[in-house]
């Protein structure tokens, strides 16, 4: 659920950023170039130096985006596999009942 929430948030932020426009920090009006791993949110360079994020692990936003995208895709594959397995079991049980 957390992975899906992060993916939705990243997708929403990408959509809000628009084509070719850089996303800006609402507080500092600076480009969101970093991703706070602890808070799971994009931050600007000014936010990085603030008390709120100073001790948090931070990575470039592109790196975080790729990592979360890979995790999300892995979870989707796992869920698709489980769904296929469950559908197979359902069909087998329906055949038994007939």
């Amino acid at each position: 659920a957390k992975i899906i929430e992060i993916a939705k948030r990243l997708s929403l932020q990408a959509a809000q950023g628009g084509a070719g426009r850089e996303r800006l920090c609402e507080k500092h009006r600076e480009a969101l170039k970093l991703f706070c791993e602890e808070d799971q949110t994009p931050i600007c360079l000014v936010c990085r130096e603030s008390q709120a994020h100073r001790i948090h692990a931070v990575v470039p936003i592109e790196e975080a985006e790729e990592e979360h995208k890979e995790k999300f895709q892995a979870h989707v594959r796992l869920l698709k596999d489980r769904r296929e397995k469950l559908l197979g079991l359902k069909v087998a049980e329906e055949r038994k009942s007939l």
Side-chain angles (χ1 to χ4, degrees):
K2 190 167 185 167
I3 296 288
I4 291 171
E5 178 186 326
I6 292 167
K8 284 181 182 177
R9 192 177 330 153
L10 288 173
S11 294
L12 177 63
Q13 289 167 352
Q16 288 174 343
R21 287 189 0 212
E22 209 167 36
R23 296 170 292 181
L24 300 178
C25 173
E26 291 179 13
K27 186 174 183 180
H28 303 109
R29 309 310 283 162
E30 297 283 332
L32 296 171
K33 295 186 176 195
L34 302 170
F35 187 79
C36 177
E37 293 285 344
E38 188 165 321
D39 294 332
Q40 295 291 295
T41 187
I43 61 172
C44 71
L45 294 171
V46 178
C47 287
R48 171 68 176 117
E49 296 305 316
S50 71
Q51 290 285 25
H53 300 281
R54 186 175 291 158
I55 60 172
H56 296 172
V58 174
V59 296
I61 199 162
E62 295 84 9
E63 184 179 316
E65 180 180 12
E66 189 61 35
E67 180 182 325
H68 287 286
K69 183 178 176 181
E70 289 171 7
K71 285 181 182 179
F72 182 71
Q73 288 173 343
H75 285 284
V76 168
R77 281 192 300 273
L78 178 65
L79 290 172
K80 282 182 179 179
D81 290 345
R82 286 183 182 175
R83 181 177 182 266
E84 289 300 317
K85 199 177 288 187
L86 288 172
L87 287 174
L89 291 171
K90 179 184 172 192
V91 168
E93 289 300 316
E94 286 173 348
R95 286 182 184 153
K96 281 183 188 178
S97 67
L98 291 175

